Amino acid sequence: MSKLWYRQPAKEWEEALPLGNGRLGAMVYGDIEHEHLQMNEDSMWYGGKVDRNNPDMKEQLPVIRKLILKGEIAKAERLIKLAMSGCPNSMHPYQILGDIYIDFEGLNEIQGYYRELDLEQAIYRQEFTCKETFYKREMFISKPGDLMVMKLTAQGEGKINFSALLGRSKFFDGVKKVGTDGICLYGNLGKGGFDFSMVLSASSKDGRVYTMGEHLLVEDASEVLLYFCADTTYHVTEEELESSILARIRHAKETAYETLKEEHVKDYRALYGRVEFSLGDLSAYDVIPTDERVLAAEKKPADIGLSKLYFDYGRYLLIACSREGTLPATLQGLWNQDMTPPWDSKYTININTEMNYWPAEICNLSECHMPLFELIKRMVPNGQRTAEIMYGAKGFMCHHNTDIHGDTATQDHWIPGSYWVLGAAWLCTHQWTHYQYTLDRDFLEESFPIMRMAAEFFLDFMIEHKGYLVTCPSVSPENTFILPDGEKGANIYGVTMDNQILRDLFTQCIDSAEILGVDDELNEKIKAARERLIPTQIGKHGNIMEWPEDFEEWEPGHRHISHLYGLHPSEQITVDGTPELAKAAEITLQRRLSAGGGHTGWSRAWITNHYAKLWDGEKAYENIEKLFSNSTYLNLFDKHPPFQIDGNFGVTAAIAEMLVQSTLKRVVLLPALPKAWKDGSVKGLRIKGCGEISLTWEKGVLKECTIYAEKGMETCLKYGEYAECFTWNKGETKKFVWNGQRLVL
């Protein structure tokens, strides 16, 4: 069974274990006497919607462009900070919901402590013995019930006695009793912000349950059920806020605990159970506590069992923080312990949010991708306003951050990162990715106008320079170049990542138009613009050039590898299609790493995906091991530091890409299988063209491959030097055996 487990409670937040149903989240510390559950809710964003568009940008844009094209970068960047920054410069933060504190009585002289997070069922369990009494705690956050349930039991002469309290620093309006068996904490998230409320209630078959002051108390019980629910006026009206919470709790109390648990497990397994990853017999690793395995990875190569556990954990986390009807995963997924978290725990869309969703399609979790598409829809009217007010352009755009309201104005006044205009364009490529994996025509028809609006912005925004159409101003997130005279700069024209993203977006709009039978003037303009983008260039070091000119980097080991977007997540650079660019990409990675790159968790994850796309399994696995040893907390959260969840999702996607890579034309089997994973199997991964694939291998060699084509498929299968094309009828499954030379049906 895939699980995280420990022999002691968490001492700090990064050792606590996460639960979630997409909307509600908990970090469980597992303390014996003073249990602490730190709670989150996806719509707990401070403040209301604000129009932050800078009205002076449109007038100053020609001046800024003139300065950039003349090479007067410092003057341009001074004006950019004044005219292009948001007013005010920052969006509001995502915040903690609150805390549950439970103080138990009489629990000392503990033996046999154990806690676990069961990834197969999304259930937290904890047990220990105290004076001949066996205590057990079990909890989960149910998507069907939309609340958290905790069951506490005592087997023996000892009983359960505790007082419970809800808290939220000092930032709430009040607390009150809810009947005789519950307490409520409520408040407001600032001017224009949402109201929120949370309720903790208890029931016991044999103990006394009552309230006193702001405390919920239980005395002399052998079994207690605790129910926690919270909500905000983002999801419900002010009049419905408390009543809807109480209705969910009332329904749960009227339902048997085992039924609630079965409903939760069934709902979760419907997603998680689609994929199974095995690396042979891992029992020798499974008997070691998770924290000890992580600490051992700092001293020696990580055990291969950590690769499987991390992969399963990433799928678990995505299900736990991004479900249909919820908000998308933030920089921290759903789990945040601060009122003002790092980077406000927003949606950072110059890599981090996109990386969160890299595993969604390939790992058979398409439904978990949906919250991102809903956020894009909310961004559209704001992005249209930003395009018109700041740039005098049609279409819609966004800079490098957005929030719960779909804010599209510039975030911060940070020269290397803030003044980037490709946020909406990159997000829209996810819409096409979803279509490639699902062939959902209805989804494409709905997304197509949004994709075209994102493209239309650049038809107005780009300018002619040296025979090309270029973005100006823009940056290569979040890097800095050195001009020939030694001056530093970040804002320039036509950076490589811009061209690669736009080449994808324009091509995807053109392909979508062909599928949907659209042939109009806008489509022709997009076709013409695509042909005038600067091609991906190779520089003097044999590497992929990051900027339109072959500048030196101020930070050669920078954490961002933006100019390799074309390698991953894009398909513009491939080993078998563009070998010269693939070699240049490899040199780019070598130069980054030799200068200290990969020093943050999510950057290491991106590097791992790059090596997977280069079909270099040893380098990919080497970077996974380095992530375990240098960039992983004891609860397996990704260490930026601090915690960012994108590294978890990035490596989950990379492991899948090491096993199978697909386009609509070809599927590559085991393209980056490392020697360490000599025996194994994977079941249920998705391939583009609406297919599902399962693989087994022994001693590093493919054994069997099974592909199910939901809507029919024609594609080429590639394994090493072998390649052959096959056709599937709708709903057909084909099982292949590798005979040492070719795949045999």
Side-chain angles (χ1 to χ4, degrees):
M1 178 175 287
S2 197
K3 62 185 178 183
L4 285 67
W5 71 276
Y6 306 81
R7 291 193 175 108
Q8 69 285 322
K11 297 182 179 67
E12 54 190 34
W13 192 83
E14 291 82 5
E15 296 178 21
L17 295 174
L19 293 171
N21 69 352
R23 191 182 70 82
L24 284 174
M27 292 293 288
V28 187
Y29 282 70
D31 194 83
I32 298 165
E33 292 184 272
H34 308 289
E35 178 61 287
H36 177 202
L37 287 83
Q38 185 266 306
M39 306 302 299
N40 291 106
E41 199 276 344
D42 68 352
S43 58
M44 291 290 290
W45 291 70
Y46 179 80
K49 184 176 179 180
V50 179
D51 184 349
R52 301 186 307 106
N53 293 299
N54 193 324
D56 294 316
M57 181 56 186
K58 189 188 299 185
E59 181 180 351
Q60 298 302 322
L61 180 58
V63 182
I64 291 168
R65 285 174 166 166
K66 185 176 180 180
L67 290 169
I68 286 175
L69 297 180
K70 287 173 61 179
E72 298 182 20
I73 305 302
K75 290 182 180 179
E77 290 183 342
R78 179 182 180 277
L79 188 54
I80 282 171
K81 288 186 74 170
L82 297 172
M84 198 171 172
S85 299
C87 305
N89 71 81
S90 182
M91 304 170 196
H92 292 141
Y94 175 63
Q95 293 189 333
I96 184 175
L97 170 62
D99 300 273
I100 303 173
Y101 300 102
I102 308 175
D103 292 330
F104 292 90
E105 296 179 13
L107 297 182
N108 48 47
E109 300 179 19
I110 301 302
Q111 295 178 328
Y113 179 91
Y114 173 91
R115 65 182 173 110
E116 72 172 24
L117 177 59
D118 179 349
L119 302 181
E120 301 289 337
Q121 296 188 326
I123 293 176
Y124 171 90
R125 299 184 183 93
Q126 176 183 330
E127 59 187 48
F128 55 87
T129 299
C130 175
K131 300 174 184 177
E132 307 301 324
T133 298
F134 178 69
Y135 290 89
K136 186 174 180 179
R137 301 171 190 172
E138 183 175 82
M139 70 185 78
F140 56 88
I141 302 183
S142 167
K143 175 68 173 173
D146 201 16
L147 83 170
M148 184 176 74
V149 185
M150 181 193 298
K151 183 179 182 180
L152 314 176
T153 58
Q155 298 176 16
E157 295 184 1
K159 298 296 181 181
I160 301 170
N161 294 275
F162 68 79
S163 64
L165 179 71
L166 296 175
R168 192 178 188 265
S169 186
K170 297 180 180 178
F171 300 97
F172 61 94
D173 294 343
V175 294
K176 61 183 179 180
K177 299 179 181 180
V178 179
T180 60
D181 57 7
I183 50 176
C184 172
L185 184 148
Y186 57 93
N188 177 265
L189 291 168
K191 184 177 180 181
F194 308 116
D195 293 339
F196 66 90
S197 183
M198 52 180 144
V199 173
L200 179 68
S201 186
S203 65
S204 176
K205 65 180 183 180
D206 56 0
R208 182 189 177 198
V209 177
Y210 64 102
T211 59
M212 184 176 294
E214 59 181 345
H215 291 82
L216 173 64
L217 296 101
V218 172
E219 294 178 351
D220 297 326
S222 62
E223 180 179 297
V224 179
L225 291 174
L226 282 171
Y227 307 88
F228 177 86
C229 191
D231 215 330
T232 78
T233 50
Y234 175 82
H235 296 291
V236 298
T237 66
E238 184 178 349
E239 293 74 24
E240 296 170 330
L241 181 57
E242 187 173 316
S243 63
S244 65
I245 292 172
L246 295 178
R248 278 169 264 179
I249 290 177
R250 183 169 56 251
H251 174 75
K253 285 187 171 184
E254 294 170 352
T255 306
Y257 174 78
E258 289 303 321
T259 300
L260 293 172
K261 181 177 171 181
E262 288 172 7
E263 291 173 348
H264 157 71
V265 172
K266 181 180 179 181
D267 169 79
Y268 171 74
R269 291 288 306 173
L271 294 171
Y272 181 87
R274 293 173 181 172
V275 172
E276 297 176 8
F277 177 41
S278 171
L279 288 174
D281 183 7
L282 301 175
S283 57
Y285 302 116
D286 292 340
V287 297
I288 305 171
T290 305
D291 52 336
E292 293 182 19
R293 295 171 72 178
V294 174
L295 292 172
E298 297 178 359
K299 303 172 185 176
K300 62 181 180 180
D303 62 68
I304 64 169
L306 276 179
S307 298
K308 170 183 164 48
L309 185 60
Y310 204 86
F311 177 78
D312 290 342
Y313 191 46
R315 295 187 298 119
Y316 164 84
L317 290 172
L318 187 57
I319 297 167
C321 74
S322 186
R323 296 290 300 272
E324 287 187 274
T326 74
L327 289 164
T330 67
L331 269 175
Q332 297 169 307
L334 177 61
W335 303 277
N336 157 51
Q337 63 174 328
D338 301 305
M339 287 294 176
T340 53
W343 304 284
D344 296 335
S345 194
K346 295 190 296 294
Y347 304 110
T348 302
I349 57 175
N350 64 6
I351 176 60
N352 312 95
T353 298
E354 289 86 353
M355 186 180 286
N356 284 354
Y357 287 94
W358 286 353
E361 300 296 338
I362 191 171
C363 290
N364 216 333
L365 295 173
S366 263
E367 296 92 333
C368 296
H369 214 163
M370 293 302 164
L372 182 65
F373 303 138
E374 292 303 314
L375 177 63
I376 294 172
K377 292 177 188 176
R378 287 196 297 278
M379 292 167 62
V380 169
N382 299 326
Q384 289 175 305
R385 182 171 171 80
T386 299
E388 196 283 321
I389 289 177
M390 292 185 63
Y391 303 104
K394 297 187 291 293
F396 105 99
M397 64 83 63
C398 186
H399 298 88
H400 90 297
N401 268 257
T402 189
D403 66 1
I404 187 174
H405 305 291
D407 193 315
T408 53
T410 316
Q411 169 67 30
D412 301 325
H413 33 62
W414 181 35
I415 285 295
S418 296
Y419 310 105
W420 184 71
V421 296
L422 273 291
W426 192 349
L427 287 180
C428 284
T429 66
H430 278 248
Q431 296 173 310
W432 176 252
T433 297
H434 178 75
Y435 172 76
Q436 285 183 302
Y437 275 96
T438 64
L439 300 186
D440 185 339
R441 185 185 175 92
D442 291 340
F443 175 85
L444 186 63
E445 286 182 342
E446 183 180 14
S447 302
F448 180 58
I450 299 174
M451 295 163 60
R452 292 230 292 183
M453 279 189 281
E456 188 177 27
F457 167 76
F458 289 97
L459 299 183
D460 283 353
F461 178 78
M462 288 191 298
I463 59 173
E464 292 193 29
H465 184 62
K466 297 182 179 180
Y468 294 106
L469 285 178
V470 299
T471 53
C472 185
S474 193
V475 297
S476 185
E478 299 163 358
N479 209 354
T480 301
F481 54 78
I482 304 174
L483 293 168
D485 62 3
E487 180 184 347
K488 291 192 301 180
N491 290 263
I492 191 72
Y493 67 90
V495 300
T496 297
M497 185 190 222
D498 290 6
N499 301 320
Q500 292 174 344
I501 291 175
L502 291 179
R503 190 170 291 109
D504 268 356
L505 178 64
F506 290 169
T507 300
Q508 291 160 13
C509 286
I510 294 164
D511 289 348
S512 298
E514 183 176 353
I515 292 166
L516 299 174
V518 175
D519 185 11
D520 58 13
E521 183 180 359
L522 178 56
N523 193 43
E524 293 304 312
K525 288 181 178 179
I526 293 172
K527 287 181 180 178
R530 180 182 62 175
E531 301 309 309
R532 299 186 63 192
L533 296 170
I534 301 175
T536 299
Q537 303 176 85
I538 298 175
K540 58 180 176 287
H541 300 293
N543 60 309
I544 300 293
M545 283 172 50
E546 187 161 0
W547 295 280
E549 300 176 46
D550 204 0
F551 298 131
E552 294 293 339
E553 299 170 89
W554 180 254
E555 298 179 70
H558 199 272
R559 62 196 174 277
H560 281 256
I561 316 112
S562 302
H563 46 319
L564 293 192
Y565 166 93
L567 177 63
H568 188 83
S570 182
E571 299 162 358
Q572 293 174 42
I573 302 174
T574 61
V575 175
D576 54 347
T578 59
E580 289 186 3
L581 289 177
K583 181 61 179 177
E586 183 181 4
I587 293 171
T588 303
L589 290 170
Q590 291 170 352
R591 287 175 57 81
R592 270 286 200 269
L593 288 167
S594 65
H599 49 279
T600 68
W602 66 263
S603 180
R604 183 70 68 183
W606 200 356
I607 290 166
T608 306
N609 278 277
H610 286 318
Y611 277 117
K613 284 291 190 69
L614 290 172
W615 301 351
D616 191 334
E618 300 313 308
K619 286 290 186 182
Y621 183 62
E622 176 185 322
N623 280 277
I624 290 174
E625 286 192 321
K626 287 182 178 179
L627 180 124
F628 292 154
S629 61
N630 299 320
S631 300
T632 301
Y633 289 110
L634 296 184
N635 64 358
L636 296 190
F637 270 175
D638 169 68
K639 183 192 298 183
H640 179 279
F643 162 57
Q644 284 187 195
I645 205 165
D646 38 24
N648 289 98
F649 294 138
V651 170
T652 300
I655 290 172
E657 295 278 358
M658 291 163 73
L659 302 176
V660 63
Q661 293 172 24
S662 65
T663 68
L664 291 176
K665 295 181 179 180
R666 62 110 165 97
V667 178
V668 187
L669 311 177
L670 303 180
L673 184 71
K675 293 177 182 177
W677 299 350
K678 62 178 182 177
D679 299 314
S681 65
V682 67
K683 176 184 176 183
L685 293 179
R686 298 291 290 185
I687 54 177
K688 293 174 181 176
C690 199
E692 190 168 301
I693 189 169
S694 298
L695 301 166
T696 60
W697 60 95
E698 291 179 357
K699 297 180 181 180
V701 178
L702 177 67
K703 183 181 179 183
E704 293 180 350
C705 167
T706 302
I707 295 178
Y708 165 69
E710 185 177 332
K711 299 182 180 181
M713 181 186 297
E714 182 177 348
T715 192
C716 289
L717 301 184
K718 180 177 177 63
Y719 176 58
E721 297 300 317
Y722 163 83
E724 187 173 352
C725 295
F726 298 90
T727 300
W728 284 255
N729 296 318
K730 182 178 180 180
E732 185 178 11
T733 298
K734 288 187 177 182
K735 182 177 180 179
F736 302 89
V737 176
W738 177 251
N739 69 1
Q741 294 181 320
R742 63 185 298 269
L743 291 170
V744 180
L745 282 167

